Amino acid sequence: MTYDVLIVGYGPAGITAGIYAARKKLSVVLIGDLPGGEVRNSGDIENWPGDRTTDGNALADKMIAHLQDHADGVEVVQDKVAKITKDENTFTSLTESGKEFQSKTVIYTAGRHPRMLGVPGEEEHRNLGVTYCATCDAPLFGGKDVAVIGGGNTGAEAVIMLQKIASHIYLLHDTDKLNADPVLIANFENDPKVTILYNTQTTGITGEQLVSGLSYKNKATQEETTLAVEGIFVTIGANPNTEPVKDLIELNKFKAIPADRYAVTSVPGFFAAGDVTDIRDAQIVVAAGHGCSAALSAGDYISRLPK
Ligand SMILES: Cc1cc2nc3c(=O)[nH]c(=O)nc-3n(C[C@H](O)[C@H](O)[C@H](O)COP(=O)(O)OP(=O)(O)OC[C@H]3O[C@@H](n4cnc5c(N)ncnc54)[C@H](O)[C@@H]3O)c2cc1C
């Protein structure tokens, strides 16, 4: 069978696309491995409208239950897509377990994964003081001493956000010059609340249950120092999950999929939404909205295909 829509990804963008496509009575298969996507790893969430505070697992469960209400319209396959190709007007998606699916359109919402430091204590303290998203979590660190790791634009934006919230901010960078735009650095370079530490290499994260310390080495002197901090913002980049489509579509320099606000890409019939795209704001509400647009765009595209 050739599905109208094949959705890759089981996060907020893919789930929302599934709900909208099912309500349009399109035939839909959704392939994904982590139900709920990064929402599962998000800890407390305070910016999903309608829920003042919710927990990532609870929100993911609610989204999945909503999608399952459309179970007659969406077939969910627990798997990963390994490669997508296009031939004339038909897409073929091959999964890691060897299954093959044909579809008229693809909505690609495979997300991105934050780059990790890879130091002892990081994994255990994820969401217990270690975070990869300042927009999401900065408000949780009111009056606390925190560290931001990575002096690019994302790190600088994290520092600016934290200036109004945290007590003191250490910005750790691995070379002797920040990569962020000077106009951003100007916001905090003379702020006594902000200490910039150059030539650092993070070596470990400590804390009984919650984070209480961060160790780093000065790369020039090899001297080890431990900072007493309760929050650690890791801002060293994120990798979009675009491997399966790297031969199908031209990616940008960050390996993200260029897509417009309607989720339209340069490949006809191939739509992309959420964190896997070049969208500016990696947020649940944005990904869900982009997923909605993707489904509506796919429906419009199908209605214009030759009959
Ligand atoms: C620690 C953390 C905390 C966060 N906190 C917040 C917050 O408080 N508020 C907020 O708004 N946002 C928060 N975010 C960001 C938010 O989680 C993301 O912006 C959102 O989940 C993006 O949705 P998405 O559907 O685009 O991608 P994702 O949620 O990443 O979902 C991608 C899906 O695709 C699947 N997938 C990947 N590769 C394949 C493949 N090859 N084949 C099939 N499926 C595949 C994944 O398993 C997953 O199901 C946080 C993110 C992190 C990492």
Side-chain angles (χ1 to χ4, degrees), residues 8-14 31-39 41-47 79-82 96 108-112 114 126-127 131-133 136-137 241 244 273-276 281-285 287:
V8 181
Y10 209 167
I31 305 173
D33 60 334
L34 176 64
E38 282 298 332
V39 176
N41 300 323
S42 293
D44 284 344
I45 294 167
E46 295 191 343
N47 49 16
D79 205 341
K80 274 189 104 168
V81 169
E96 286 186 355
Y108 195 82
T109 70
R112 61 176 88 154
R126 194 177 172 130
N127 294 333
T131 163
Y132 302 85
C133 177
C136 316
D137 295 334
N241 298 317
D275 284 12
V276 78
D281 304 311
Q283 291 288 283
I284 301 165
V285 70

Side-chain angles (χ1 to χ4, degrees), residues 44-214:
D44 284 344
I45 294 167
E46 295 191 343
N47 49 16
W48 176 254
D51 282 320
R52 172 61 185 84
T53 306
T54 184
D55 155 77
N57 282 314
L59 181 58
D61 287 344
K62 277 195 342 190
M63 288 183 175
I64 291 160
H66 190 166
L67 180 74
Q68 280 166 350
D69 270 357
H70 296 282
D72 51 336
V74 183
E75 182 184 336
V76 175
V77 177
Q78 195 85 22
D79 205 341
K80 274 189 104 168
V81 169
K83 192 164 180 65
I84 302 180
T85 52
K86 187 182 183 195
D87 175 23
E88 299 271 324
N89 281 331
T90 305
F91 292 90
T92 300
S93 302
L94 179 70
T95 71
E96 286 186 355
S97 71
K99 295 192 192 90
E100 218 178 75
F101 296 85
Q102 258 78 45
S103 61
K104 294 178 192 167
T105 63
V106 169
I107 298 179
Y108 195 82
T109 70
R112 61 176 88 154
H113 53 281
R115 261 182 231 140
M116 297 182 68
L117 296 164
V119 298
E122 180 180 21
E123 191 65 59
E124 307 86 289
H125 290 100
R126 194 177 172 130
N127 294 333
L128 295 172
V130 175
T131 163
Y132 302 85
C133 177
T135 308
C136 316
D137 295 334
L140 308 176
F141 293 88
K144 298 190 168 153
D145 288 356
V146 299
V148 174
I149 302 176
N153 282 345
T154 311
E157 283 161 6
V159 172
I160 293 164
M161 244 176 272
L162 287 158
Q163 275 176 296
K164 293 199 189 86
I165 296 169
S167 173
H168 194 87
I169 305 142
Y170 298 93
L171 173 60
L172 286 82
H173 189 60
D174 61 347
T175 67
D176 57 4
K177 190 172 182 298
L178 300 179
N179 295 333
D181 296 339
V183 67
L184 292 179
I185 299 169
N187 285 282
F188 55 79
E189 63 187 342
N190 296 318
D191 183 347
K193 269 179 80 168
V194 180
T195 304
I196 305 176
L197 299 164
Y198 296 97
N199 288 316
T200 61
Q201 184 191 339
T202 306
T203 51
I205 292 168
T206 49
E208 271 294 299
Q209 201 210 349
L210 300 175
V211 165
S212 61
L214 172 125

Side-chain angles (χ1 to χ4, degrees), residues 222-269:
Q222 301 299 310
E223 190 188 343
E224 283 249 4
T225 307
T226 299
L227 298 171
V229 290
E230 292 177 78
I232 298 173
F233 292 79
V234 182
T235 59
I236 56 171
N239 296 320
N241 298 317
T242 46
E243 191 62 26
V245 294
K246 67 178 186 342
D247 298 328
L248 177 74
I249 186 163
E250 194 172 334
L251 305 173
N252 73 7
K253 66 176 175 176
F254 303 110
K255 298 207 159 77
I257 299 174
D260 72 9
R261 73 175 110 145
Y262 305 112
V264 172
T265 73
S266 58
V267 176

